[in-house]
Amino acid sequence: MTSKQRFLTALSREQPDRLPVTTHHVMPSFLDQHFPGMTNDDFFDHFGFDPILWLNEQRPDENAGEYFDPDHAPGYLEPRRVVSDRWRIESEELAGLRYATTRYNIITPCKTLTMVLQSDEHTSWVTERLVKEKSDIDIIAEFATKPLCDVEEVNRRCAEWGDRGLVRGFVPGFDVYGQPGCWQDAAVLYGIEELIMATFEDPEWVHAFLEILMRRKSAFIASMKDAQYDIIELGGGDASTTVISPQIFRDFVAPYYARLIELAHEAGQRVVYHTCGGMMPILEDIADMGPDAMETFTPPEMGGDADLAEAKRRIGERVCMIGGFDQVHFFTGCDPERTRQAVRRCFAEAGEGGGYILAPSDHFFDADPELLSAFADEARKCVY
Amino acid sequence: MKETSSILQSIAQCIERGKVNRASPYPPDLRDRDGADELVRRAIDLGIDPQEILTDGLMTGMKVVGEEFRAKRIFVPEVLMAAKAMTAGMEHLRPFFASSQATHRGVMILGTVLGDLHDIGKRLVGMMVEGAGWEVIDLGTDVAPEDFVAAVERRPESVVGLSALLTTTMMNMKETVARLKEAHPETKIIIGGAPVTVAFAHEIGADAYAPDPPGAVDFLNSTVAEI
């Protein structure tokens, strides 16, 4: 089988020739540190992983007066930003702080919304939330742009890449700093603790906020028809049971994602639901939303709660499982045999009958190249 | 006596259920009923010893919350509401701490280590530790080793809690522990966070590791027992 066939077979919950093995993102900071100049494709080939191509091509709806932001230089995995005369985004660097710090001003006819981001060599984080007053969501509802999928560009890139592996995309997050899921975006924009408290104290407002975010994502998903993605990502760690309760998941997360997944299926797209954090108490709730695959199955040793064997038993007949490997303890600081044992353990627990893709539980920040090789090599020996 | 017992029990229940005050709509079945805010005020007005209100009301409720959380019968959101109710009640007791009519079991200096901006796990620890009768000095996130050392210099009797969520930042715990132990060898240090393990705690010279907030409370209380 080719890598692509292997992935697609597993996604169909069938048995490929051997265990597919890949990773989530290959972090630029990792490549810069260990393999300067190496591309993602080089990385996959070098270590013998089944390759993934991440694409996130979006375009403006010109009929709605939207256009690409001429001042925006997209960062890692960031699509070109879509703005309008009623939703302009300006940025300014703030000097003298410990981390690279940027203030973003989103200028609308009614109000300027502001957000501050900081970054280090690994990642970025929000230090000033965009939604500071509850009425700010009305500004978003009225003026935010609604980017569409650039199907032509996606398909051009797919054709160029060929059948090397899995083409993966995601539902775009909110402008400046967002993530695929509605709840996840809301947590980023308002603050997770504040959002949790609002579910208790003002649930109607939280639903109104999530509806606004969902409308934007729905417009994008509806435009994905005929785009040749193999799978698109939804979800995020703030909807894990490390952070929220199963009840909040059922009331404020699942209804929105179930609608988005249905819409994605109507557009001919498969969906992987991404949970970095606790998921065992909500495994069936996630599967009930109808995704084609679920990830990341983070083990307890990494702060999650995944029991791969139990998860396979509970939802393995309904979704493809991706992840479950402990990259903290078996990509660094151990001998290759322990890495190989960890691979075999994952295969034994989740591999039976297919429907399983071996991957670290989310991306990894650091890894010993020798252990990456052992990881992929051992997985390739896990034949059906 | 009966009234004292009843009101302390009601205060404990408000903490367990996250009932902050009468105006709070949560939990729905306690809507329009008094919460921790009103009940603690009433207990003080009735002349109940503030230490008793803390120990037999607020702390009793928070102990149950910790047990339920550890048993995975409740989750972070319920703990946040319990902590909010606790804070509402504690506000009325603060003057008594200031005048030493009520006392804490000890002091914990808490912070997320340098380079790490994650807050919620550390705050949960702070809430439960406070709910166990300890004074908590929360230094926030992205705290440099020298700031931990300075905080201990101000309150040398403290136990220090270090949090990290990322594998990239947990190594900053090592330097923080080393700097603290160099400046204050007697200071007890407990660490926690998603990628942290008991083996890592031993490796970097921390005194303890807690897998969850109740674990931190257990450790702190054990240090008091030692004293």
Side-chain angles (χ1 to χ4, degrees):
Chain A
M1 280 183 165
T2 64
S3 287
K4 191 178 188 85
Q5 288 167 336
R6 192 170 296 123
F7 277 128
L8 295 180
T9 303
L11 286 172
S12 304
R13 299 187 306 284
E14 291 170 3
Q15 196 167 279
D17 57 342
R18 64 154 170 86
L19 178 63
V21 56
T22 192
T23 184
H24 196 242
H25 302 136
V26 182
M27 300 301 281
S29 59
F30 170 79
L31 292 180
D32 290 346
Q33 184 185 348
H34 293 281
F35 303 100
M38 184 181 264
T39 65
N40 272 20
D41 279 350
D42 294 341
F43 170 88
F44 291 125
D45 290 345
H46 181 82
F47 289 104
F49 284 45
D50 292 306
I52 287 184
L53 174 66
W54 282 91
L55 290 180
N56 190 17
E57 307 295 343
Q58 63 182 31
R59 65 175 175 84
D61 180 355
E62 289 167 358
N63 294 328
E66 297 175 3
Y67 50 86
F68 283 124
D69 185 342
D71 299 322
H72 178 233
Y76 176 61
L77 290 180
E78 191 184 12
R80 289 180 70 187
R81 185 180 294 153
V82 171
V83 295
S84 74
D85 290 347
R86 305 193 317 158
W87 185 262
R88 291 188 298 114
I89 302 178
E90 294 179 351
S91 62
E92 54 178 317
E93 304 302 319
L94 305 182
L97 296 164
R98 182 183 287 169
Y99 302 101
T101 306
T102 308
R103 175 181 296 282
Y104 292 90
N105 299 312
I106 300 184
I107 302 158
T108 78
C110 289
K111 183 177 183 179
T112 296
L113 303 173
T114 65
M115 186 175 199
V116 176
L117 241 67
Q118 290 190 323
S119 307
D120 64 11
E121 70 273 31
H122 299 293
T123 190
S124 300
W125 58 90
V126 178
T127 59
E128 182 189 304
R129 305 286 174 189
L130 189 79
V131 175
K132 299 177 185 64
E133 297 171 15
K134 287 185 173 175
S135 60
D136 288 344
I137 67 171
D138 300 326
I139 304 288
I140 293 172
E142 186 169 359
F143 300 113
T145 55
K146 290 191 177 68
L148 303 174
C149 178
D150 188 342
V151 175
E152 197 176 314
E153 181 60 12
V154 169
N155 292 349
R156 187 192 68 75
R157 296 278 308 275
C158 287
E160 193 177 274
W161 201 57
D163 284 342
R164 282 176 52 77
L166 192 78
V167 179
R168 205 173 147 145
F170 48 87
V171 179
F174 201 78
D175 288 326
V176 178
Y177 189 89
Q179 298 206 11
C182 306
W183 175 267
Q184 189 72 27
D185 252 358
V188 167
L189 296 174
Y190 189 56
I192 183 59
E193 199 173 321
E194 292 79 1
L195 189 64
I196 288 170
M197 299 309 264
T199 65
F200 293 126
E201 294 169 344
D202 194 357
E204 292 79 14
W205 178 80
V206 177
H207 282 301
F209 190 11
L210 295 169
E211 278 286 344
I212 290 165
L213 296 171
M214 192 184 70
R215 285 203 293 271
R216 198 170 195 248
K217 292 175 191 296
S218 297
F220 185 89
I221 292 172
S223 72
M224 297 181 89
K225 189 167 165 39
D226 297 328
Q228 292 167 3
Y229 284 111
D230 293 316
I231 199 152
I232 58 169
E233 180 180 322
L234 255 186
D238 281 333
S240 74
T241 52
T242 307
V243 181
I244 64 171
S245 62
Q247 195 59 53
I248 289 180
F249 184 88
R250 287 170 198 135
D251 292 344
F252 294 92
V253 179
Y256 298 93
Y257 289 170
R259 283 153 69 186
L260 291 178
I261 290 169
E262 188 179 2
L263 201 55
H265 287 164
E266 285 169 15
Q269 303 295 335
R270 298 181 193 86
V271 176
V272 53
Y273 184 80
H274 182 100
T275 312
C276 39
M279 57 195 295
M280 295 305 283
I282 52 172
L283 277 182
E284 287 81 2
D285 295 285
I286 298 173
D288 286 346
M289 299 187 314
D292 303 273
M294 285 164 58
E295 61 185 14
T296 62
F297 298 96
T298 306
E301 295 77 11
M302 283 180 56
D305 66 352
D307 177 332
L308 270 185
E310 188 190 331
K312 180 76 172 181
R313 180 181 59 74
R314 285 166 55 187
I315 47 94
E317 295 287 311
R318 303 170 64 191
V319 295
C320 170
M321 293 168 57
I322 303 174
F325 183 82
D326 178 347
Q327 68 268 31
V328 169
H329 298 99
F330 302 112
F331 272 1
T332 57
C334 72
D335 63 66
E337 182 48 35
R338 290 197 64 216
T339 303
R340 290 176 185 276
Q341 286 170 3
V343 169
R344 290 198 292 273
R345 195 161 54 242
C346 288
F347 185 54
E349 291 179 354
E352 188 180 351
Y356 176 54
I357 296 171
L358 177 69
S361 310
D362 218 333
H363 47 254
F364 61 90
F365 288 108
D366 196 13
D368 176 342
E370 187 185 12
L371 300 183
L372 287 173
S373 295
F375 168 75
D377 181 61
E378 192 62 33
R380 291 195 302 271
K381 293 176 184 168
C382 294
V383 294
Y384 285 102
Chain B
M1 191 67 181
K2 192 177 172 191
E3 190 175 10
T4 298
S5 169
S6 169
I7 196 165
L8 293 177
Q9 200 173 21
S10 296
I11 290 169
Q13 283 170 351
C14 284
I15 305 304
E16 286 174 48
R17 301 289 315 281
K19 179 65 178 171
V20 179
N21 55 30
R22 176 169 274 271
S24 171
Y26 181 83
D29 60 308
L30 297 182
R31 192 183 281 265
D32 299 326
R33 295 211 207 152
D34 284 346
D37 183 15
E38 293 87 1
L39 291 173
V40 171
R41 181 71 259 162
R42 193 181 311 151
I44 292 168
D45 292 343
L46 285 169
I48 301 174
D49 180 359
Q51 191 70 49
E52 204 178 344
I53 298 171
L54 175 67
T55 308
D56 296 340
L58 298 171
M59 282 170 58
T60 298
M62 208 57 177
K63 186 166 184 287
V64 174
V65 171
E67 289 164 358
E68 293 287 294
F69 183 71
R70 175 171 271 178
K72 297 184 170 55
R73 286 191 289 267
I74 64 170
F75 295 82
V76 168
E78 288 85 2
V79 178
L80 290 174
M81 285 308 288
K84 190 170 181 180
M86 177 94 190
T87 302
M90 285 291 283
E91 281 304 312
H92 298 291
L93 298 184
R94 292 204 192 284
F96 298 99
F97 284 111
S99 64
S100 300
Q101 284 178 266
T103 55
H104 289 107
R105 302 190 77 179
V107 185
M108 182 187 210
I109 291 170
L110 191 59
T112 309
V113 296
L114 185 67
D116 200 320
L117 275 292
H118 292 88
D119 193 40
I120 195 164
K122 181 260 301 167
R123 275 179 42 74
L124 283 176
V125 171
M127 290 166 188
M128 286 205 186
V129 167
E130 191 171 36
W134 286 68
E135 180 184 355
V136 173
I137 299 171
D138 188 342
L139 300 181
T141 60
D142 193 21
V143 181
E146 56 268 28
D147 293 331
F148 280 106
V149 172
V152 173
E153 273 160 15
R154 288 190 294 273
R155 299 294 296 272
E157 75 277 28
S158 305
V159 176
V160 176
L162 306 179
S163 171
L165 186 78
L166 303 175
T167 52
T168 51
T169 56
M170 66 189 266
M171 292 314 294
N172 292 336
M173 283 180 161
K174 186 175 181 178
E175 191 193 342
T176 305
V177 170
R179 296 275 294 273
L180 278 166
K181 288 292 184 185
E182 185 185 356
H184 303 280
E186 301 304 315
T187 298
K188 301 280 189 192
I189 303 170
I190 181 169
I191 67 172
V196 178
T197 61
V198 66
F200 182 70
H202 291 149
E203 182 187 321
I204 67 172
D207 297 286
Y209 154 77
D212 54 21
V217 171
D218 290 345
F219 173 71
L220 289 173
N221 290 341
S222 75
T223 66
V224 173
E226 277 176 23
I227 293 165

